[in-house]
Amino acid sequence: MAKEKTKAEERKAKQEKWDEERAEFEELARTHDIKLRNKIITDHLYIAEILAKKYVNRGIEYDDLLQVASMGLVYAVDRYDVSKGFAFSSFATPTIVGELKRYFRDKGWVIRVPRRIQELSKKVNQVRLSLAQEEQRQPTVDEVAEQLGVSVEEVLEAMEASKVYAPQSLDKTLDTGMDDHDMNFGDLIGVEDENYAQVEFYDVVERLMATLNDLEKKIFVYRFYEKRTQISIAKELDLSQMTVSRIEKKIIKKFRTELKVKPKEKKKKA
């Protein structure tokens, strides 16, 4: 009885909360009251906090994530239609998550960079832009370093790190100095040999074939490489199909023994 009463109380509390939430959104849609809008945003800020925490440790500070999530919450409040009949949290969650993912896509670092370098990179870009406007030319690294009060090496490190914001396309054409030959970034990247994955397999097969006699080797090649039937192999070697079948089973047994593979147990019929 106590548990049933508790569940009933929980349902009642949820219903009352939903009724209050619905009444607020209906009033907001009718009056567009800024104070009521701010109250609704504040009341649901916990949703943004929960979702922002799920994206920490990905190269972006929690405070930045919370700001993005909060903006997503604001968008959700403005776009929510109470007449649809579903709870606000059900609408707000995917909206906020979408904003967070968009932020990672547009602003996030492709490669994780220390926070110190990220912050310095922003300052370097700001100073370079400011000096370029003042001097009507691109500033030197020394000038940027002097303006920020850091070493030239730190400026160079920050400038190099900032490149991960906009990775170069593999299709970008490089200047090779030859008019009749274009080269892309992709041309400079090695590719894995198509047979590389088979090297280990061939090594195992070669080692296992050393355990077979000449007849077994022939049957192995005919059966598993050339995919011939036992009947055609029997005719080729002047043997009976039963003999070929027996030798094939023997080969498989040897391979399983060498590889320490146990045959699958047959399921017992009920």
Side-chain angles (χ1 to χ4, degrees):
M1 289 293 292
K3 289 184 178 180
E4 292 179 359
K5 185 178 180 181
T6 302
K7 289 182 179 180
E9 290 175 346
E10 289 177 354
R11 285 195 296 269
K12 183 180 179 182
K14 287 181 180 179
Q15 184 61 44
E16 289 176 350
K17 183 179 179 181
W18 161 238
D19 291 340
E20 181 181 351
E21 180 179 278
R22 181 171 54 190
E24 287 183 339
F25 275 102
E26 287 174 346
E27 183 180 352
L28 179 63
R30 186 173 60 256
T31 64
H32 301 288
D33 185 4
I34 296 298
K35 290 183 178 180
L36 178 57
R37 177 176 177 268
N38 292 340
K39 177 183 179 299
I40 292 173
I41 292 172
T42 302
D43 290 344
H44 294 88
L45 193 59
Y46 70 93
I47 300 176
E49 293 172 348
I50 292 172
L51 295 175
K53 287 178 181 177
K54 290 185 177 181
Y55 286 84
V56 296
N57 298 324
R58 298 191 184 185
I60 297 178
E61 292 295 317
Y62 170 74
D63 290 342
D64 294 336
L65 295 174
L66 179 57
Q67 185 176 358
V68 174
S70 298
M71 287 303 301
L73 176 63
V74 173
Y75 296 150
V77 170
D78 292 340
R79 298 169 186 171
Y80 177 62
D81 186 355
V82 69
S83 65
K84 298 294 184 180
F86 47 76
F88 173 71
S89 59
S90 300
F91 176 79
T93 298
T95 303
I96 295 171
V97 169
E99 288 299 315
L100 287 167
K101 289 183 176 179
R102 191 175 296 109
Y103 182 79
F104 272 96
R105 183 193 66 197
D106 297 339
K107 302 294 185 181
W109 294 78
V110 178
I111 301 172
R112 288 200 63 183
V113 175
R115 182 64 180 177
R116 175 183 63 83
I117 300 300
Q118 292 183 32
E119 292 176 348
L120 180 58
S121 177
K122 293 178 183 178
K123 293 178 181 178
V124 167
N125 291 333
Q126 290 172 354
V127 169
R128 290 179 69 191
L129 179 61
S130 176
L131 290 176
Q133 292 174 341
E134 291 177 6
E135 304 294 334
Q136 295 299 307
R137 61 174 175 79
Q138 285 297 323
T140 65
V141 175
D142 290 325
E143 290 173 337
V144 175
E146 182 180 356
Q147 183 79 10
L148 290 173
V150 297
S151 67
V152 172
E153 289 75 14
E154 288 176 306
V155 172
L156 291 172
E157 184 180 17
M159 290 172 63
E160 190 67 25
S162 66
K163 293 179 181 179
V164 302
Y165 264 122
Q168 298 294 329
S169 170
L170 294 178
D171 295 324
K172 182 177 180 180
T173 303
L174 299 175
D175 183 9
T176 61
M178 297 181 288
D179 296 334
D180 60 342
H181 181 68
D182 290 333
M183 179 178 289
N184 298 332
F185 270 127
D187 297 330
L188 302 178
I189 299 177
V191 295
E192 186 175 294
D193 192 295
E194 294 180 358
N195 295 319
Y196 182 78
Q198 300 294 324
V199 171
E200 186 176 357
F201 171 75
Y202 290 138
D203 179 66
V204 171
V205 171
E206 184 177 352
R207 178 163 48 84
L208 292 175
M209 283 189 70
T211 66
L212 306 179
N213 58 40
D214 291 341
L215 179 58
E216 290 171 341
K217 288 179 181 178
K218 287 182 180 180
I219 292 177
F220 175 78
V221 172
Y222 289 155
R223 191 80 174 99
F224 298 103
Y225 276 85
E226 299 181 8
K227 307 296 183 182
R228 294 172 59 175
T229 64
Q230 291 181 352
I231 294 175
S232 67
I233 295 172
K235 288 182 179 179
E236 176 78 20
L237 301 176
D238 194 21
L239 300 170
S240 66
Q241 181 183 350
M242 186 178 294
T243 301
V244 173
S245 177
R246 178 176 55 79
I247 295 174
E248 180 184 327
K249 290 178 181 178
K250 185 178 179 182
I251 293 170
I252 294 173
K253 186 177 180 180
K254 282 186 177 183
F255 273 50
R256 282 175 173 164
T257 300
E258 288 291 327
L259 296 173
K260 298 180 181 179
V261 176
K262 295 182 179 180
K264 293 183 179 179
E265 295 182 359
K266 294 183 178 179
K267 294 183 179 180
K268 295 181 179 179
K269 294 183 179 180

